[in-house]
């Protein structure tokens, strides 16, 4: 009987103990599941964080590189901007210089006519010339005195007339007042062929002979320094007008005295004449 009671007691104890163990196991399993869920959730978050970290690291590298490029570009832009500013400054200086030159040229051109007029008027006044067959003008720093041959020679002749000597005396006055100047005496003819007379062969000979005749009068009779004079014949080849009629041919038959100052002497002469006009 005692054995039966003891056996029943053991069975009851085991039954009671087994139920408690199952509950503990179930509780542990529940806790384990929660831990596993938490672990899974944490693992997912960790992976997300790692992914975000990689992304952020890549972005940081890009930003660093971009920042370096920007710094380099800023340096290049600074260099380019400085160089550009220097180029613009040089261009502006060049433009200013050109504008100044243009202004000076315009001023010179504005004064040209009045200077020429003043000089020609002075020369005409000096030689007392008012005859329409005697022309005085200035071209490119050279003074030209052109005298019609009808005032100097008879047709086909190179003998200087008495009236011509009066005119040449006035020209000599100009030449003698400019001892540093050279003067070229040019003979010009029309295109009518010259009939040779044993002394002269053609218009070349006639133009040269007329020039040398003028030079002799200037030097021997009017005391012009021979070192200042040049005799030249131009024949028929530099006409003022075409030789189509008698009047035009008369215009082309002429003696031209070219006064050749050096450029500094020419401007000195202009300056003096302009002062006289003030």
């Amino acid at each position: 009987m005692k054995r039966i009671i003891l056996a029943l007691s053991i069975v009851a104890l085991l039954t009671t103990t087994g139920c408690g163990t199952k509950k503990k196991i179930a509780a542990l399993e529940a806790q384990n599941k929660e831990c596993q869920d938490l672990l899974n959730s944490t693992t997912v978050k960790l992976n997300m964080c790692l992914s975000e970290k990689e992304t952020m690291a890549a972005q940081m590298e890009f930003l660093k590189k971009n920042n370096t490029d920007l710094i380099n570009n800023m340096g290049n832009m600074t260099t380019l901007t400085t160089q550009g500013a220097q180029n613009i400054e040089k261009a502006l200086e060049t433009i200013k210089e050109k504008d100044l030159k243009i202004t000076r040229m315009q001023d010179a051109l504005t004064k040209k006519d009045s200077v020429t007029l003043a000089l020609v008027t002075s020369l005409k006044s000096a030689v007392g010339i008012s005859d329409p067959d005697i022309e005085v003008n200035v071209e490119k720093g050279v003074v030209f005195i052109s005298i019609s041959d009808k005032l100097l020679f008879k047709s086909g002749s190179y003998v200087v007339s008495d009236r011509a000597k009066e005119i040449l005396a006035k020209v000599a006055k100009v030449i003698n007042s400019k001892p540093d100047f050279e003067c070229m005496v040019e003979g010009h003819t029309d295109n009518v062929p010259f009939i040779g007379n044993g002394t002269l062969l053609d218009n070349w000979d006639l133009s040269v002979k007329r020039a040398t005749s003028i030079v002799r009068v200037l030097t021997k009779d009017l005391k012009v320094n021979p070192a200042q004079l040049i005799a030249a014949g131009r024949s028929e080849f530099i006409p003022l007008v075409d030789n189509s009629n008698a009047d035009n041919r008369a215009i082309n038959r002429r003696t031209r005295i070219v006064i050749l100052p050096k450029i500094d002497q020419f401007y000195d002469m202009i300056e003096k004449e302009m002062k006289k006009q003030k």
Side-chain angles (χ1 to χ4, degrees), residues 112-126 136-139 141-144 178 181 261 265-274 277:
K112 177 178 176 293
D113 291 338
S114 59
V115 169
T116 301
L117 179 61
L119 186 54
V120 170
T121 301
S122 176
L123 288 171
K124 284 188 174 182
S125 176
V136 181
N137 55 46
V138 180
E139 296 177 10
V142 179
V143 179
F144 298 94
K178 311 294 181 185
F181 290 11
Q265 295 169 337
F266 177 72
Y267 284 116
D268 180 61
M269 182 171 60
I270 287 177
E271 184 178 357
K272 290 178 179 178
E273 298 304 332
M274 288 298 290
Q277 298 297 315

Side-chain angles (χ1 to χ4, degrees), residues 1-13:
M1 184 66 180
K2 287 181 180 179
R3 291 181 180 179
I4 294 172
I5 293 171
L6 179 60
L8 290 173
S9 296
I10 292 170
V11 170
L13 179 60

